[in-house]
Amino acid sequence: MLVLKRLNAFLVTLSVTVLAGGTAALAATGQPKPWEIGMQPAATPVMQNIEWFHSFLMWIIGAIAVFVLGLLIIVMVRFNARANPVPSRTTHNTFIEVVWTVVPVLILVTIAVPSFRLLFFELTIPKPDLVVKAIGHQWYWTYEYPGKKIQFTSLIAEGKDRKPGQPRLLSVDNDLVVPVNKVVEVETTGADVIHSFAVPSFGIKIDAIPGRLNKTWFKAERVGMYYGQCSELCGRDHDRMPIAVHVMSQKDYDAWLAMAQKKFSADSGAARPAVAAAKPVARPAVQAVNKPAAQAVKVAAAGTAQ
Ligand SMILES: [Cu+2]
């Protein structure tokens, strides 16, 4: 009885925790949380579709796993050497062979239809209300608002630069600011190596490749802060180029735009000095390792030249 009582108490605690967690998740902004096992709450229609597709696949995977487990148990119980000492010599059964070919095909078709629908939804960019350009650098992002003469760098906020409430390793000095409920087209490119612009709660992840212009889109449906990270191994400080998107109401965005056009005017060069500040993230140990490698490259190059 005690065991049952304890089990009951555990289940009640668990359900309360899950419910409370669910409510908190709804109110929370787009960033990871301790002990999170699901995905970050969706903030765009694309991510809502990704979440749906994920759950849909989980049901199919679960059903297949349970079915196969059931078959294994039946085989173990009914056809072991003790229960079935004289095995049958059957080798073919046309009906079963047709079934185990056709059913998997049907399952794959069932998966393929929503999968392609989601892919087209992600890749077909609706008419944008705003275009922003994200340029990956080693190791920070620069953002441009084409046609609005805004260009600024976005550097990780660390130490005393990190304001209270800003999450560690995800916050930056200058957020990418966009209006709520508007289609934002993101153009990405790389200035040096391949980076990747990814924001989990928007359901976007797109490579920023030097010499190419990649495009994706999002429509954030709630105001708030949404965080992402460069998701392509791009060198020493790959972990130090977070993405912080501040989604604002149209009114706040307009006010920010007016301010930004003065502060980050692409013509004034005001955005430039910050780039220099990004460089001296000293990591002596790594540099020491890199040096011999650089020398080796030089030696190899000299060898080729001869
Ligand atoms: Cu990167």
Side-chain angles (χ1 to χ4, degrees), residues 43-251:
T44 64
V46 165
M47 191 58 204
Q48 279 160 14
N49 275 272
I50 293 174
E51 270 186 352
W52 178 87
F53 188 55
H54 171 261
S55 317
F56 171 70
L57 285 183
M58 286 304 284
W59 282 110
I60 293 180
I61 293 166
I64 293 172
V66 168
F67 176 68
V68 172
L69 182 71
L71 288 183
L72 283 175
I73 291 171
I74 290 173
V75 169
M76 279 154 55
V77 173
R78 282 186 53 186
F79 299 104
N80 63 52
R82 220 177 315 143
N84 189 39
V86 188
S88 109
R89 298 201 158 263
T90 312
T91 53
H92 282 286
N93 185 312
T94 312
F95 173 72
I96 288 181
E97 283 165 23
V98 169
V99 167
W100 77 37
T101 307
V102 172
V103 170
V105 169
L106 290 179
I107 294 172
L108 288 179
V109 171
T110 313
I111 292 172
V113 171
S115 171
F116 280 112
R117 208 170 45 201
L118 174 59
L119 212 56
F120 284 121
F121 186 50
E122 287 175 5
L123 294 178
T124 314
I125 303 177
K127 195 180 166 300
D129 298 302
L130 171 70
V131 178
V132 294
K133 191 170 171 187
I135 306 160
H137 299 257
Q138 284 177 314
W139 288 273
Y140 58 94
W141 293 93
T142 47
Y143 296 117
E144 288 177 16
Y145 289 61
K148 296 191 166 55
K149 293 193 169 180
I150 296 176
Q151 182 190 41
F152 59 88
T153 58
S154 186
L155 307 176
I156 187 167
E158 289 186 297
K160 58 179 171 26
D161 294 334
R162 188 157 62 94
K163 295 181 200 95
Q166 281 192 323
R168 191 178 148 265
L169 296 180
L170 289 174
S171 303
V172 296
D173 56 353
N174 297 316
D175 303 326
L176 174 65
V177 179
V178 296
V180 70
N181 279 324
K182 291 285 158 73
V183 174
V184 179
E185 183 181 300
V186 185
E187 299 180 343
T188 61
T189 189
D192 32 46
V193 298
I194 302 177
H195 302 268
S196 179
F197 188 87
V199 182
S201 41
F202 291 175
I204 58 170
K205 178 179 280 182
I206 186 151
D207 278 357
I209 303 171
R212 273 189 67 145
L213 197 69
N214 278 349
K215 288 180 179 183
T216 187
W217 70 285
F218 66 84
K219 189 176 135 195
E221 292 181 321
R222 290 194 306 274
V223 296
M225 286 300 306
Y226 299 91
Y227 296 97
Q229 288 167 308
C230 174
S231 299
E232 183 67 65
L233 285 172
C234 61
R236 192 191 66 182
D237 287 340
H238 160 64
D239 60 325
R240 261 133 221 285
M241 45 185 302
I243 296 155
V245 186
H246 194 166
V247 179
M248 292 181 175
S249 67
Q250 185 66 45
K251 199 167 140 261

Side-chain angles (χ1 to χ4, degrees), residues 284-294:
V286 179
Q287 275 167 353
V289 171
N290 280 347
K291 254 187 195 161

